[in-house]
Amino acid sequence: MPTYSPPLRDIRFTFEHVAGLDEIAKLEDLAHADLDSAMEVVAEFGRFCVDKLLPLNRTGDVTGSKVVDGRVVTPPGFKEAYQDYFEAGWNSVPFDQGYGGGGFPWMVALAMQEILNSVNMSFALCPLLTQGFIELLTAHGTEDQKQRYLTKLISGEWSGTMNLTEPDAGSDVGALRTKAVQQDDGTYRISGTKIFITFGDHDMAENIVHLVLARVPGAPPGTKGISLFIVPATLVDANGELGERNTVTTVSVEHKMGIHASPTCVLEFDGAVGELVLEEQQGMRGMFTMMNNARLSVGTQGLGLCEAAYQAALDYAKVRLQGRAVGASAGTSSPIIEHPDVRRMLLTMKAYTEAARALCYYNARQVDLAHHHADADARTAAAELGALLTPLSKAWGTDLANEITSLGVQVHGGMGFIEETGVAQLYRDARIAAIYEGTNGIQAIDLVLRKVPLRGGGVLADLVGKMRATASELDSAGDLASIGVRLTASLGTLDRAVAWLSSNAADPEQALAAATPFLRLLSQVVGGWLLGVEALAAARALSGGQPDDEAFLETKVATAKFYADHLLPTVDGLLATITAGKADLFQIPAAAL
Ligand SMILES: Cc1cc2nc3c(=O)[nH]c(=O)nc-3n(C[C@H](O)[C@H](O)[C@H](O)COP(=O)(O)OP(=O)(O)OC[C@H]3O[C@@H](n4cnc5c(N)ncnc54)[C@H](O)[C@@H]3O)c2cc1C
């Protein structure tokens, strides 16, 4: 089992210098959440995760969740750990205080999610789905629905699920066929089969509340005709008390490549009682609230796995003796960390992980501002920037998780392929995050077709403006100037990619062909920018007297420089791919591929 300790120093630094937590804590609703209080919460939660959940990660992987007598049984220890989790109040930290929440900023919740995913991604999925449900009900539920469901979901006594996928409706959610028929009492009867439902059944919470997408009779085809329903596994009466079981059956749980402890269920809704959220055929509007929230959280899952893989690889590289490093005494074996190629892998892991942390927390800052800023224009600007960044957080965060956990295996050599080191599990668990919650291909399409054109391209232009300002600050910051040069060059490359997209706007297939490399290019630049912001902050602290963590600050600068020199130049290759366009993709007929 890999050891892990929460990266509190870097979390604090990112809160302070990238996400601006102090400024967020000045907003009226969040005034109690200053940097020190937030870090106390994160540190205490980190202790809980390491003590209770890290030891269950491997046993959960080996045992998996299973169906016993028609109900899902989670691996030993999960039920008790979940009880401890919600009784300690961890589930409620960022939510509405009016319904029992702790009212902390979203970025604090995100730091907690990072740690939770580093120690046990399977466990983390249960609160992740619940959290999306809470967000949706908070935004769109009636007061009666909030009274009956929200308090228990916020406390974590009940858990939530998200039911979109059906056998013929995956990326194309609009193809779903589950039916909802209204009854005389105003409730609906829901019938259909949903597949791949995370924590669709389990034994950890007292009740499971499903959010189900379905169609009412006569609804138009596609996403326009979708409505959204609350369907509790055990019925909830007008006073919020539990009654009989609803007619929702767990058909099976999937046998998967990873996240074995997270039950991925096939659910059969057989005339199950449901209640409408929003109005009929407004379902996708509601679901987007939940999905945007979940997309940032899935990106943060990727971040958590990157951090866990990096820590494991670093520990191993310090103790594994193999080969003689250049300059080492004859007849000795060196720790592999002394070999340049291993250094390259470790620095790649470290730099990408810190860049992904900066991106996800900066994205969460926009969520906090969009919800809580007193000024409507500031709320709109934050919501727009958050919308632009969300596909980056989700897709880049999870693509990096695949790359970084793979490097984690590589640093371990043959031992990385052996399950007992735990790094193979990180690699297997990471794989799904690029697929669910909208595949990364779908995220890239969302970016080029919907997010780049936001406000006539103005949202992206504003972001580029911020990045240019940082680049000029770096240019005139002595030792950091070389980072500024690289960042400026990458911004030029980004400009050319955006110009190509715009000059090819008449042919949407060009944008669709370029979407994935464009998302990577923009993410690489944003990552370089945010590490540049961190380098400037670290340099200021270093020159401002007697910092007590000089080594940490110097490492920050060096990491940003490594990123600028070794990782940022990949944007040039990406630009070439983007501007090659669609032509080559369809040269070979499908039958000849
Ligand atoms: C472990 C696990 C947990 C899950 N949890 C949930 C859950 O809790 N709730 C839920 O509702 N669903 C859940 N899902 C389903 C998940 O969200 C879907 O698997 C995902 O959205 C992709 O759908 P699909 O599997 O049908 O793939 P497909 O849609 O068939 O996609 C296959 C490939 O084609 C690409 N593709 C598809 N359409 C397009 C297009 N228009 N343009 C370009 N490329 C395209 C995709 O990017 C992908 O690479 C889960 C899945 C798994 C495996």
Side-chain angles (χ1 to χ4, degrees), residues 162 164-165 170-171 196-198 264 432 435-437 439 445:
M162 190 188 313
L164 291 81
T165 308
S171 300
F196 294 157
I197 304 308
T198 298
T264 306
I432 183 58
I435 297 171
Y436 58 25
E437 212 39 67
T439 64
I445 292 169

Side-chain angles (χ1 to χ4, degrees), residues 570-592:
T570 56
V571 296
D572 294 328
L574 290 162
L575 177 65
T577 309
I578 291 163
T579 55
K582 66 175 188 180
D584 298 328
L585 300 181
F586 291 96
Q587 277 299 317
I588 307 172

Side-chain angles (χ1 to χ4, degrees), residues 485-538:
V485 170
R486 293 276 191 205
L487 184 57
T488 303
S490 73
L491 284 163
T493 308
L494 174 61
D495 280 349
R496 287 193 284 285
V498 174
W500 185 89
L501 280 179
S502 139
S503 63
N504 283 279
D507 179 359
E509 209 170 23
Q510 290 283 34
L512 294 173
T516 289
F518 181 79
L519 184 145
R520 182 71 188 217
L521 191 161
L522 180 57
S523 304
Q524 292 285 116
V525 178
V526 168
W529 165 55
L530 292 171
L531 290 191
V533 168
E534 293 194 355
L536 284 165

